[in-house]
Amino acid sequence: SSNGGLPERDSYAKNGFVHIKNPHLDLLPEDILYHFDLGTKTHDLPSMFGDVKFVCVGGSPNRMRAFALFIHQELGLEGDSNNVADICAGTDRYSMFKVGPVLSISHGMGIPSISIMLHELIKLLHHAKCRDVTIIRIGTSGGIGIEPGTVVITDVAVDSFFRPQFEQVVLDKVVVRKTELHKELAEDLLQCSKEIASFPTIIGHTMCTYDFYEGQGRLDGALCSFSKEEKFEYLQRAFSSGVRNIEMESTVFAAMCHLCGLKAAVVCVTLLNRLEGDQISESHETLTEYQKRPQQLIAEYIKKQLNLS
Ligand code: DUR
């Protein structure tokens, strides 16, 4: 083979480049990544981002800044780690930080928000000619039948009907896309967690919904149109089908990364056990500690990949 005997990448990008499945894009004289406040005419994207190998995304701008600072420390990089600048400072939609080969970006809450970010991120990686990029969502979630603080590595992202698919409305048609994630990457991450071993980590299905309250069977929203019994019956059925946590971004993340040939994983900590309640009532300190767990796991994985540990 032409790639030095390495295994074929199957659906993963040829030559390691991302796939841009849009014939119209080449016709643009300039591509403005509006929500990042970046563009192909205004910024030298290859020199800014060409060396990126790991992209980590998560909901909150502050958490993704904290992750960038943490990675800076962990990789033992030069310079003032307190001085990591927001590349997207020109917009308050998303925040972006770069430390060596690691890009850390916030995506907000929910499918529409992460989807907009991913369109522009994938185009950015394309314009910058990045190769062999691994992308990981590090997030929070509600657990089903597992101890709060458990980290769930997603094998398959499923929708509210427990189907491994994402439905995108395109014009007035529904396009159904697979929500496959990278199996080997999930296994490698689980192996890393065994080496750290300071918190429980499992592999399981992740359910992705369009809402935090009624959409996740919560009884404590402003609206609730079902009984307590119906809630438990639904969550039990989710558990029986293999779902271990619920969040709001994984299906579209898996679908888009898969189509564009990015090696992708979803790693979320559970903030509560939904069979015990709906409100997130742990102390601020406990929640902060929980949210560091996916970061520690990914830092370990990145160090291993870079031969730093
Ligand atoms: N999240 C949930 N459900 C939970 C806990 C966390 O969806 O029970 C995730 C998804 C969303 C944000 O981005 O965190 C909502 O708090």
Side-chain angles (χ1 to χ4, degrees):
S1 74
S2 59
N3 59 359
L6 291 170
E8 279 296 307
R9 252 183 272 261
D10 64 271
S11 66
Y12 295 94
K14 290 181 202 82
N15 310 316
F17 291 117
V18 294
H19 296 158
I20 293 290
K21 300 195 162 178
N22 176 4
H24 308 285
L25 204 65
D26 290 337
L27 308 174
L28 283 181
E30 174 182 13
D31 189 14
I32 296 166
L33 308 175
Y34 170 65
H35 303 88
F36 289 161
D37 194 34
L38 295 172
T40 51
K41 283 259 170 79
T42 46
H43 297 81
D44 182 353
L45 299 176
S47 83
M48 289 174 75
F49 299 104
D51 63 340
V52 168
K53 294 294 177 200
F54 304 94
V55 179
C56 298
V57 304
S60 123
N62 280 326
R63 181 154 45 80
M64 296 322 287
R65 178 195 297 277
F67 177 70
L69 299 179
F70 178 58
I71 284 290
H72 188 282
Q73 245 178 53
E74 289 289 299
L75 299 188
L77 295 175
E78 307 265 292
D80 185 1
S81 67
N82 288 316
N83 227 345
V84 177
D86 183 355
I87 298 166
C88 297
T91 165
D92 56 7
R93 296 298 186 182
Y94 304 108
S95 288
M96 183 188 291
F97 309 93
K98 185 177 179 298
V99 275
V102 183
L103 203 56
S104 175
I105 315 169
S106 69
H107 58 57
M109 287 190 286
I111 288 172
S113 183
I114 193 174
S115 155
I116 295 165
M117 192 283 284
L118 287 172
H119 276 284
E120 295 182 14
L121 169 65
I122 292 165
K123 292 196 296 174
L124 182 153
L125 297 173
H126 166 72
H127 294 312
K129 301 189 165 61
C130 296
R131 298 177 83 153
D132 298 317
V133 174
T134 297
I135 180 165
I136 303 171
R137 162 166 148 72
I138 49 175
T140 58
S141 62
I144 306 182
I146 56 178
E147 188 193 330
T150 301
V151 171
V152 180
I153 302 166
T154 307
D155 54 3
V156 203
V158 300
D159 65 10
S160 297
F161 309 93
F162 322 133
R163 300 174 302 193
Q165 64 183 47
F166 172 66
E167 292 183 344
Q168 171 77 61
V169 178
V170 178
L171 307 184
D172 54 356
K173 292 178 187 67
V174 176
V175 176
V176 180
R177 292 175 173 158
K178 285 202 288 182
T179 51
E180 220 168 279
L181 287 156
H182 199 281
K183 258 213 165 70
E184 239 177 72
L185 177 57
E187 292 292 340
D188 288 350
L189 289 168
L190 186 68
Q191 185 54 40
C192 263
S193 79
K194 286 177 183 157
E195 287 157 26
I196 311 177
S198 54
F199 46 81
T201 304
I202 60 168
I203 290 189
H205 298 354
T206 296
M207 179 162 76
C208 179
T209 69
Y210 284 93
D211 175 44
F212 181 82
Y213 288 99
E214 280 190 296
Q216 295 185 3
R218 278 188 160 84
L219 300 165
D220 64 341
L223 304 171
C224 188
S225 52
F226 48 85
S227 69
K228 201 173 141 192
E229 289 69 32
E230 287 172 308
K231 167 197 161 175
F232 281 105
E233 189 273 331
Y234 178 66
L235 292 183
Q236 285 295 351
R237 255 190 308 129
F239 185 88
S240 299
S241 80
V243 173
R244 292 296 175 270
N245 65 339
I246 314 175
E247 45 78 277
M248 299 177 61
E249 294 85 13
S250 59
T251 50
V252 72
F253 173 84
M256 289 182 73
C257 294
H258 182 70
L259 283 171
C260 295
L262 285 166
K263 188 173 170 179
V266 176
V267 178
C268 293
V269 71
T270 58
L271 302 181
L272 76 169
N273 177 1
R274 291 298 316 288
L275 301 181
E276 306 277 312
D278 295 333
Q279 300 233 314
I280 300 180
S281 52
E282 296 279 11
S283 71
H284 195 77
E285 285 142 317
T286 303
L287 293 175
T288 307
E289 194 272 314
Y290 284 175
Q291 292 183 37
K292 284 186 185 148
R293 293 178 175 187
Q295 302 187 18
Q296 287 171 266
L297 177 52
I298 298 320
E300 205 52 41
Y301 174 76
I302 291 175
K303 281 196 285 181
K304 239 176 149 180
Q305 294 299 302
L306 297 174
N307 292 316
L308 294 172
S309 82

